[in-house]
Amino acid sequence: MDADAIGKAFVEHYYATFDQNRAGLGGLYQEGSMLTFEGEKFLGAQNIQNKISSLAFQQCKHSILTIDCQPSGHPGGILVFVSGSLQLGGEEHQLKFSQMFQLLPAGSSYYVQNDVFRLNYG
Amino acid sequence: MDADAIGKAFVEHYYATFDQNRAGLGGLYQEGSMLTFEGEKFLGAQNIQNKISSLAFQQCKHSILTIDCQPSGHPGGILVFVSGSLQLGGEEHQLKFSQMFQLLPAGSSYYVQNDVFRLNYG
């Protein structure tokens, strides 16, 4: 599969897991993985999982608008750039967001080495 | 300098150059550099410069809202994630955008290996 196909498959898996079983996201990260969430930095799968699990909403539904992928130059690495919106349970309005990942190979699959998330206020 | 300082300095340089001397951006890219601009892919400094130079507006002013940086794992590589808005000459409304870069070392400086740009429509 090329970078676009891998990136698209990852995005579908990531946001479906986020919306249905947030606690399952930790397995996508490793010890050296980095998350920057609204400017706050987290290092390692456990800290990242803790952050994601601690987000104050219970229900969430992501809608993906665009997915752009490029090889990162790191052997087998893929950069994935996502834009979309998310609807929180009990909230009337959708929030727009952008997020980028770097995926690196791990055996026959991939893990998330880099993750940056930002809401797009406006 | 750490990734945050390098990324911030790059962002200031990049958007100042874009707004004042767009033709000067080509020197920031190399032959293997990639740009995905609103979903359209360009490979190599010349094609990227041609695309940037061909954008239909004459005047542009970027305002940066957030800059998030992480080491990319590639030796010396830095991921830079930017959000902000841009004002085109003669247009009343600002456009929101998100953009990501991977910077890689080139001698004592850096070049742009990866570049993804998206407008965030509201």
Side-chain angles (χ1 to χ4, degrees):
Chain A
M1 291 206 294
D2 65 4
D4 284 323
I6 294 165
K8 185 165 182 292
F10 166 79
V11 165
E12 289 172 1
H13 175 68
Y14 180 90
Y15 293 105
T17 305
F18 197 113
D19 293 349
Q20 294 161 22
N21 172 32
R22 233 188 296 165
L25 288 174
L28 296 174
Y29 300 86
Q30 292 192 359
E31 283 314 293
S33 297
M34 287 170 269
L35 165 66
T36 306
F37 186 91
E38 288 286 282
E40 195 182 0
K41 295 184 180 191
F42 302 89
L43 175 63
Q46 188 63 57
N47 291 326
I48 292 170
Q49 177 65 67
N50 289 349
K51 173 60 184 178
I52 294 173
S53 294
S54 74
L55 293 170
F57 50 84
Q58 293 305 313
Q59 291 188 312
C60 181
K61 175 81 180 71
H62 289 80
S63 300
I64 303 308
L65 188 61
T66 66
I67 305 171
D68 296 307
C69 303
Q70 293 181 355
S72 69
H74 205 297
I78 300 170
L79 295 169
V80 184
F81 186 91
V82 181
S83 73
S85 58
L86 58 88
Q87 176 95 43
L88 301 184
E91 297 285 334
E92 189 176 349
H93 297 293
Q94 291 200 327
L95 302 170
K96 292 189 172 291
F97 74 93
S98 299
Q99 190 161 10
M100 60 146 291
F101 304 92
Q102 183 180 208
L103 310 181
L104 293 182
S108 62
S109 187
Y110 289 84
Y111 75 96
V112 178
Q113 171 61 27
N114 300 94
D115 181 350
V116 178
F117 175 90
R118 280 282 181 184
L119 290 171
N120 300 134
Y121 293 105
Chain B
M1 291 206 291
D2 65 5
D4 284 323
I6 294 165
K8 184 164 183 292
F10 166 78
V11 165
E12 290 172 359
H13 175 68
Y14 180 89
Y15 294 105
T17 305
F18 195 112
D19 293 350
Q20 294 160 23
N21 172 32
R22 232 187 297 166
L25 288 174
L28 296 174
Y29 299 86
Q30 291 192 359
E31 284 314 294
S33 298
M34 286 170 268
L35 166 66
T36 306
F37 186 91
E38 287 286 280
E40 195 181 1
K41 296 185 179 191
F42 302 89
L43 174 64
Q46 188 62 58
N47 291 328
I48 293 170
Q49 178 65 69
N50 289 350
K51 173 59 183 178
I52 295 172
S53 295
S54 75
L55 293 170
F57 51 83
Q58 293 304 311
Q59 290 187 313
C60 181
K61 175 83 179 70
H62 289 80
S63 300
I64 304 307
L65 187 61
T66 66
I67 306 173
D68 296 307
C69 304
Q70 293 181 354
S72 70
H74 206 296
I78 300 170
L79 294 170
V80 184
F81 186 92
V82 181
S83 73
S85 58
L86 58 88
Q87 177 95 43
L88 301 183
E91 297 285 334
E92 188 176 349
H93 297 292
Q94 291 199 328
L95 302 170
K96 292 188 172 293
F97 74 93
S98 299
Q99 190 162 11
M100 59 146 291
F101 304 92
Q102 183 179 206
L103 311 180
L104 293 182
S108 61
S109 186
Y110 289 84
Y111 74 96
V112 178
Q113 171 62 26
N114 300 93
D115 181 350
V116 178
F117 174 90
R118 279 283 180 184
L119 290 171
N120 300 133
Y121 292 105

